[in-house]
Amino acid sequence: MKQLFLLMTLICSISTGSFADSVNNHELLNDSSDQVLMRTVVPSSDQPQGEVQIIQRGDLLVVQTLIASRALKHVAAAIDKKEMKHWPEEREGYVASVRYREELFRATERVWTMFRQRADKSELRQYLVIEFILSSKQGLIALSVPHIAGDYGNLLLQEKEPIQVWKAPTHYVKGNMIEMIQDSFHLNKAAATELLETLWQKQRVESN
Amino acid sequence: MSSQQPDQVAAYTQFRDLFGNDEDLLLSVTPPHLLEPAGLDLIADLTRQIAEIDGVRQVLSLSNARQLVPGRYGAEDQPLLPQTDQYGNISVVIKKALQNNPHYEGLLVSADHRIAGLIIELVDRRADESLRRTLIQDVRNLMARYADRAEFHLTGVGVQKIDVADLIKRDQRVVLPLVVVVLMLLLGAIFRRLSGVLLPLLATVVSLIWTMGFYSLCGFDLNTISSLLPPVVMILAVSNSVHLYNGWLHIDGLDTQRIGLLSSKVDELLTPCFFTALTTALGLLSLTISGIPAVRQFGLFAALGAILSMLISLTLVPIFLSFLSLPEQRHLNGTGLLRWTLRNIAEVTIKRPKMILAVAALLLLIALFGLPQLHNNTNLVGFLRNNAPLSIDTDYIDRHLGGVNALEFMLTRRDGHALVTPDDYARLEKFELLAWEQLGVANVFSILPVLRQLHQAETRSHPLVLPMDGDELRYELDLLSMAGDQKLPRRFLTEDRSSARMSIWLHDIGSRSASETASQLLKLGESIFGSTYYLVPTGSYYQMIQDSNRLVSDMLKSFALSLLLVMLAIFLLLRSYKLTLLAIFPNIVPILWTLGLMGYCGIDLSTGTAMIGAVAFGLAVDDTIHYLVHYQRVFNGFADRAVRMTTTRIGRALMISTLALALGFWVGCFGSFKPTIYFSFLVGGTLIGALVCDLLILPSCLMLSSSRPKERSR
């Protein structure tokens, strides 16, 4: 019964997402005004697989993960494992996390298929952008296939093609942003929370 | 002991720089029931405790082995065995795990699942001998502590080196005193005088101290070959003293004139003693052209010992003799039996020289047929007696787990590119497949089993195959380089993927078969990899079999050089082409007899036995020199008279010195190593053979070559 409930919740959630996709999210994803507040190479500069950037996008705050990895599935598997750890079944946000994991899996498969069909065989890295977007009204998650230039530490997102965009509960998006800041910038939970709150408050003051 | 061939040393250095130490230790553990919680807990305890020992890089066992299983995003790393509290039906779990990871069977567990194997990888501290010794002792202490819970066996190149060093020390303690006792008994029995025992022994001990002092000053350690130095030097030293003492016994005159008489006798013996020492030293020096450092050291310092012992004998012995009264003349021609024997030998050689040569030729012919059966074969563990603990341990592990010696191969592309294409790995797999089919191959390790398992876990493919697609291969290689534990991938593939390693483990088949396998593998490798790749064989075991391969050519070169130098020395001494040529025959024949005997008895040419020719020739020719010098001195135009006088007068000294040499060498049969035992036994036998030739063949040749053989024919 519980599983059935979960399944239904998931279907509803995906439907809502699809609905959200139909809503024009162009503004929310438009990165032309992006201002990078903080950035770091993840998981480490020894074995770089991408960057996590904290971005100011108009009145939005975005934690953006640019993955540029020769082993995207491996990176996605690590994210999947962290999601399971951070969002256990009993925690509020679990359903949103299940949705995120499903979408991430599908996106990874899609990128792998595109990678196998690429024209330029000298290109060895696979790319994916994950954005956790926070506005005053809603939380949003977006997965996109990007064009990225530059090297780790200076990765430059030139353009991106959204694969999936969906609304997610604000507390889940915010919670995940904190987790990501904590992991990527090697902060403790309190410091990561404080950083996010400071940036968010500053953002709101500036946009008002 | 191992070779210093520049190309091999360079390849081995590069190999160790890239892949680390190849001298793994192998520990087998046989608990009453391996696949039950108690057995598996024991393996886990041992693995943990051994890993904590200083000098251990890592330990691989059933308890920490990993496997890759299919997960949502591809391969997931998991322990091979479940946690202790989840053992359940462990036997079924293990069988399933091993089915999926066949490369672990024969390595971490025997085929019948009764015996576990622990691979102990050492840190690469090449010069730190004490670390290795302490580490092995620590492992053995652990084995002793758990002895009531399982049966243990430990082997590996490191263990072999330590145990061999210990056995050398044991031999020093046993063999040297035995040589002294044997020499004392022999000298006592022959001379029946205290001075006849003490003086040669004094010269021997002083010579030994000087020689070994020089050896030590040069910073050398004793090894299986150079451990022969002390007994050999002692035996060489006693020979000159025996001739001097025997000469002193033959002094006929008043005691008041003993200084003058002794001085004359020393003058008389100076030339033959100098030349016998010279020829012995030349024979030994010929070993310095060997490619094996241990043999070179032995040749050089044994030659030094021969010269030093001559100088010491010619000074010390006469000085002490000058204080003694001249002996009674009953000692002049020895005991009745000896005198009778020598007289009869002389008569036979005078009367039937052709018959003697015919018998010698027949024996030589028989020996020649045995020569093709002579093979070079070196086996470090096989050097030990069958009941030696290391021999038992190695045999046990060899029978139940996968081999004990590894041939290492390094593969690189000639164009300098990384090994990242499916073709690179397809070729490597073909090489792996053919390696399994070669003689004596017990196991083959490389990056391939890991890649196959990873590919299966990534793609859920069956059976275990390599990725055929370039993207998949690159992706999986990337996954390997991102794995948390890099020890296993780095063991077989360098970080930049420019060099791959294949370890081909062989059963304990000896260097001859291993060499054939290595040659065959190289040939196959050349056809598989073509001109696009470098395939370089290396590793400590490969070095050892290469050294063994060079033994025959080294031996022939040493022997040829020894022959040339000794003949030159004899010519300088005798100034006669005829006598120089005649001197060759009685010295080559016994060596050929010995080599033929080795062929018939299946005794292989190894690091020890290959030295027999050069050493025995240098020693055997001493008797010939003494004989010919005396013959020349007493020759008055008639061969029979000179032969009769020489055989009866110096035959006794020849017999005593040869017997002393042979018995001294035979004491080496109490050593721990078969090459030492064979070397000692066969050199002693060759010297006896040479004495027989000097007393029978040489006089027969002299009789037949003389224009006026018999006095009565005048």
Side-chain angles (χ1 to χ4, degrees):
Chain A
M1 191 65 189
K2 190 178 176 183
Q3 282 174 335
L4 184 64
F5 172 74
L6 272 175
L7 186 66
M8 286 181 69
T9 316
L10 185 62
I11 290 167
C12 290
S13 153
I14 291 171
S15 310
T16 315
S18 301
F19 174 74
D21 293 344
S22 66
V23 176
N24 191 346
N25 286 316
H26 246 63
E27 270 183 39
L28 300 176
L29 296 179
N30 185 357
D31 54 12
S32 57
S33 63
D34 276 8
Q35 188 188 341
V36 179
L37 303 175
M38 290 178 78
R39 68 196 303 165
T40 185
V41 177
V42 286
S44 66
S45 49
D46 293 343
Q47 281 202 327
Q49 301 298 323
E51 280 186 27
V52 167
Q53 301 177 349
I54 304 174
I55 292 171
Q56 185 182 330
R57 181 179 294 162
D59 59 350
L60 306 174
L61 190 66
V62 181
V63 173
Q64 186 182 62
T65 307
L66 300 176
I67 305 173
S69 170
R70 291 164 70 140
L72 176 66
K73 281 203 281 182
H74 181 78
V75 177
I79 295 173
D80 188 78
K81 203 177 274 182
K82 279 184 185 171
E83 275 292 310
M84 282 199 287
K85 186 183 158 200
H86 293 146
W87 301 97
E89 210 172 333
E90 59 276 12
R91 186 177 173 190
E92 194 187 355
Y94 169 71
V95 174
S97 173
V98 170
R99 165 85 195 270
Y100 170 53
R101 286 172 50 217
E102 283 302 320
E103 296 296 357
L104 180 63
F105 179 72
R106 271 199 288 272
T108 309
E109 290 288 302
R110 186 165 163 185
V111 172
W112 175 245
T113 308
M114 288 165 65
F115 177 72
R116 298 285 301 274
Q117 292 165 352
R118 73 197 183 283
D120 179 9
K121 290 287 178 189
S122 67
E123 176 58 83
L124 299 175
R125 293 194 301 198
Q126 299 156 58
Y127 301 96
L128 181 70
V129 176
I130 306 169
E131 291 174 304
F132 281 77
I133 305 165
L134 193 63
S135 76
S136 53
K137 295 174 190 165
Q138 62 181 336
L140 206 70
I141 304 173
L143 300 172
S144 312
V145 179
H147 281 280
I148 291 177
D151 214 343
Y152 299 108
N154 291 298
L155 289 179
L156 179 66
L157 179 63
Q158 293 175 320
E159 59 176 300
K160 65 186 176 194
E161 180 197 332
I163 302 173
Q164 187 64 282
V165 186
W166 72 99
K167 282 181 184 170
T170 308
H171 68 88
Y172 170 74
V173 171
K174 207 169 175 180
N176 243 0
M177 287 166 104
I178 291 170
E179 300 286 1
M180 287 158 72
I181 291 170
Q182 186 184 341
D183 278 359
S184 310
F185 293 93
H186 308 291
L187 301 173
N188 59 36
K189 184 141 191 165
T193 309
E194 193 186 334
L195 176 66
L196 186 71
E197 284 302 330
T198 309
L199 292 171
W200 179 235
Q201 292 307 326
K202 191 180 160 196
Q203 175 87 349
R204 294 188 73 173
V205 170
E206 282 177 10
S207 58
N208 285 334
Chain B
M1 279 254 322
S2 59
S3 167
Q4 288 184 337
Q5 297 289 311
D7 53 339
Q8 273 184 44
V9 172
Y12 189 44
T13 305
Q14 187 195 6
F15 173 83
R16 289 183 71 148
D17 288 342
L18 291 175
F19 299 107
N21 198 333
D22 67 326
E23 295 181 357
D24 296 341
L25 305 186
L26 309 173
L27 175 66
S28 79
V29 186
T30 316
H33 304 286
L34 174 65
L35 298 189
E36 285 185 6
L40 293 168
D41 285 345
L42 174 66
I43 303 301
D45 279 356
L46 285 167
T47 303
R48 199 183 59 254
Q49 291 189 51
I50 293 172
E52 286 168 3
I53 295 174
D54 183 32
V56 173
R57 184 165 177 258
Q58 66 170 337
V59 181
L60 184 63
S61 76
L62 276 178
S63 73
N64 65 0
R66 312 289 298 180
Q67 62 174 334
L68 293 166
V69 295
R72 191 176 191 209
Y73 281 94
E76 285 182 5
D77 182 32
Q78 278 186 3
L80 186 71
L81 299 185
Q83 298 301 306
T84 318
D85 55 352
Q86 300 166 351
Y87 275 162
N89 193 350
I90 194 72
S91 173
V92 176
V93 176
I94 287 197
K95 276 178 188 163
K96 197 176 169 201
L98 289 173
Q99 262 176 8
N100 293 332
N101 300 273
H103 52 286
Y104 284 141
E105 198 160 284
L107 178 71
L108 301 184
V109 63
S110 61
D112 59 6
H113 296 176
R114 281 193 319 108
I115 303 156
L118 275 72
I119 315 292
I120 305 168
E121 194 184 330
L122 311 184
V123 292
D124 193 15
R125 285 191 232 161
R126 291 163 215 196
D128 197 347
E129 192 72 26
S130 64
L131 175 78
R132 186 196 284 151
R133 178 174 288 279
T134 314
L135 186 155
I136 288 169
Q137 192 50 53
D138 287 346
V139 175
R140 286 191 161 141
N141 291 342
L142 262 182
M143 289 161 62
R145 200 186 312 157
Y146 286 93
D148 57 333
R149 291 173 63 184
E151 181 184 341
F152 294 97
H153 297 279
L154 180 70
T155 191
V157 176
V159 183
Q160 290 167 16
K161 285 180 178 173
I162 294 295
D163 281 14
V164 164
D166 289 344
L167 286 169
I168 289 169
K169 283 182 190 155
R170 173 258 172 206
D171 284 1
Q172 299 294 313
R173 288 195 302 270
V174 174
V175 174
L176 277 184
L178 259 179
V179 170
V180 174
V181 170
V182 166
L183 290 179
M184 283 173 75
L185 290 175
L186 183 74
L187 294 168
I190 291 168
F191 293 129
R192 294 169 193 273
R193 299 169 71 100
L194 187 61
S195 58
V197 175
L198 291 181
L199 285 182
L201 274 183
L202 178 69
T204 298
V205 170
V206 175
S207 305
L208 180 67
I209 291 169
W210 278 48
T211 309
M212 295 316 291
F214 275 117
Y215 187 81
S216 181
L217 277 176
C218 290
F220 296 124
D221 292 324
L222 286 178
N223 52 50
T224 47
I225 300 304
S226 58
S227 67
L228 287 165
L229 256 180
V232 166
V233 170
M234 288 178 80
I235 297 157
L236 294 178
V238 90
S239 173
N240 281 321
S241 309
V242 163
H243 278 285
L244 280 167
Y245 195 83
N246 190 58
W248 177 72
L249 288 176
H250 282 72
I251 291 175
D252 191 7
L254 295 171
D255 192 54
T256 49
Q257 301 169 325
R258 67 175 188 268
I259 302 293
L261 291 169
L262 180 63
S263 178
S264 303
K265 183 55 77 176
V266 171
D267 275 351
E268 181 190 324
L269 288 172
L270 183 67
T271 307
C273 279
F274 172 75
F275 274 92
T276 53
L278 181 68
T279 53
T280 302
L282 289 174
L284 290 162
L285 270 179
S286 71
L287 293 172
T288 55
I289 62 167
S290 168
I292 300 168
V295 175
R296 289 205 299 269
Q297 286 165 18
F298 172 80
L300 182 66
F301 284 90
L304 178 70
I307 297 295
L308 283 175
S309 68
M310 181 266 294
L311 294 173
I312 290 163
S313 297
L314 284 172
T315 48
L316 265 189
V317 176
I319 288 170
F320 280 96
L321 284 176
S322 68
F323 293 104
L324 302 179
S325 302
L326 286 179
E328 295 171 20
Q329 288 309 298
R330 63 183 171 83
H331 289 286
L332 195 60
N333 288 319
T335 60
L337 178 65
L338 191 58
R339 196 164 55 237
W340 178 86
T341 307
L342 289 170
R343 197 178 296 147
N344 279 299
I345 286 172
E347 290 309 317
V348 171
T349 54
I350 291 165
K351 288 173 186 166
R352 299 184 187 282
K354 285 181 184 169
M355 189 196 75
I356 290 169
L357 291 182
V359 172
L362 182 67
L363 289 173
L364 187 62
L365 196 66
I366 294 169
L368 289 176
F369 278 108
L371 288 185
Q373 296 170 50
L374 199 58
H375 300 291
N376 57 306
N377 190 20
T378 299
N379 179 348
L380 264 185
V381 177
F383 278 1
L384 302 172
R385 291 171 184 272
N386 294 339
N387 58 356
L390 178 60
S391 182
I392 293 168
D393 285 351
T394 306
D395 180 59
Y396 186 89
I397 291 175
D398 192 26
R399 274 187 291 117
H400 295 98
L401 295 167
V404 288
N405 296 307
L407 283 176
E408 304 286 357
F409 284 89
M410 270 192 303
L411 183 75
T412 47
R413 290 184 64 102
R414 283 176 193 264
D415 57 14
H417 291 164
L419 298 163
V420 287
T421 68
D423 183 47
D424 295 332
Y425 292 87
R427 288 176 196 242
L428 200 59
E429 187 173 46
K430 195 172 175 189
F431 185 56
E432 177 198 48
L433 197 69
L434 290 171
W436 275 107
E437 295 171 3
Q438 302 310 307
L439 174 77
V441 171
N443 238 324
V444 181
F445 298 111
S446 67
I447 197 70
L448 299 182
V450 184
L451 259 182
R452 277 192 285 259
Q453 207 204 14
L454 178 60
H455 185 61
Q456 186 182 55
E458 277 292 314
T459 60
R460 297 170 191 267
S461 61
H462 284 283
L464 285 162
V465 290
L466 287 175
M468 300 299 288
D469 175 273
D471 286 333
E472 283 183 345
L473 175 68
R474 278 178 184 275
Y475 171 68
E476 286 161 20
L477 288 173
D478 286 338
L479 282 185
L480 280 182
S481 63
M482 290 164 68
D485 186 0
Q486 285 294 303
K487 285 175 190 158
L488 187 64
R490 288 293 153 269
R491 211 172 142 82
F492 297 111
L493 189 66
T494 54
E495 194 174 359
D496 61 0
R497 296 167 200 164
S498 61
S499 297
R501 166 194 186 182
M502 187 169 278
S503 296
I504 298 172
W505 284 74
L506 303 181
H507 289 295
D508 195 22
I509 53 176
S511 69
R512 187 177 153 221
S513 301
S515 173
E516 286 169 11
T517 301
S519 302
Q520 185 62 18
L521 282 167
L522 254 184
K523 214 159 88 184
L524 290 168
E526 279 164 13
S527 68
I528 292 168
F529 296 108
S531 57
T532 318
Y533 303 81
Y534 288 115
L535 182 70
V536 182
T538 186
S540 57
Y541 184 62
Y542 182 73
Q543 280 192 314
M544 194 272 284
I545 61 174
Q546 287 301 100
D547 288 346
S548 182
N549 277 351
R550 275 195 299 275
L551 282 179
V552 176
S553 61
D554 274 5
M555 184 193 78
L556 290 174
K557 279 184 210 160
S558 290
F559 188 68
L561 184 64
S562 169
L563 188 72
L564 190 74
L565 293 174
V566 168
M567 286 303 124
L568 192 66
I570 292 176
F571 178 75
L572 286 174
L573 172 68
L574 302 175
R575 311 286 169 131
S576 159
Y577 290 112
K578 191 180 86 174
L579 290 183
T580 304
L581 286 174
L582 284 179
I584 298 174
F585 193 54
N587 290 296
I588 287 184
V589 167
I591 289 167
L592 291 173
W593 285 349
T594 301
L595 293 176
L597 185 71
M598 282 172 66
Y600 284 122
C601 296
I603 298 172
D604 295 320
L605 277 177
S606 65
T607 329
T609 52
M611 301 193 303
I612 290 171
V615 174
F617 187 72
L619 287 168
V621 84
D622 292 0
D623 286 351
T624 314
I625 289 172
H626 279 291
Y627 195 99
L628 288 175
V629 166
H630 195 274
Y631 176 85
Q632 236 182 359
R633 190 179 300 129
V634 297
F635 184 71
N636 65 346
F638 298 99
D640 61 338
R641 179 179 170 275
V643 163
R644 190 175 291 114
M645 286 179 73
T646 306
T647 301
T648 52
R649 284 192 185 173
I650 70 149
R652 179 170 178 268
L654 298 188
M655 280 185 165
I656 294 167
S657 60
T658 304
L659 204 58
L661 285 169
L663 283 175
F665 274 106
W666 284 340
V667 170
C669 295
F670 291 98
S672 304
F673 306 102
K674 285 181 188 167
T676 313
I677 295 167
Y678 290 144
F679 171 83
S680 307
F681 178 75
L682 293 170
V683 169
T686 308
L687 293 176
I688 298 286
L691 174 70
V692 170
C693 290
D694 280 326
L695 291 178
L696 290 167
I697 294 177
L698 182 61
S700 301
C701 290
L702 289 168
M703 286 299 297
L704 289 175
S705 65
S706 173
S707 54
R708 286 188 296 175
K710 294 185 180 176
E711 219 170 1
R712 66 170 180 257
S713 64
R714 263 186 302 184

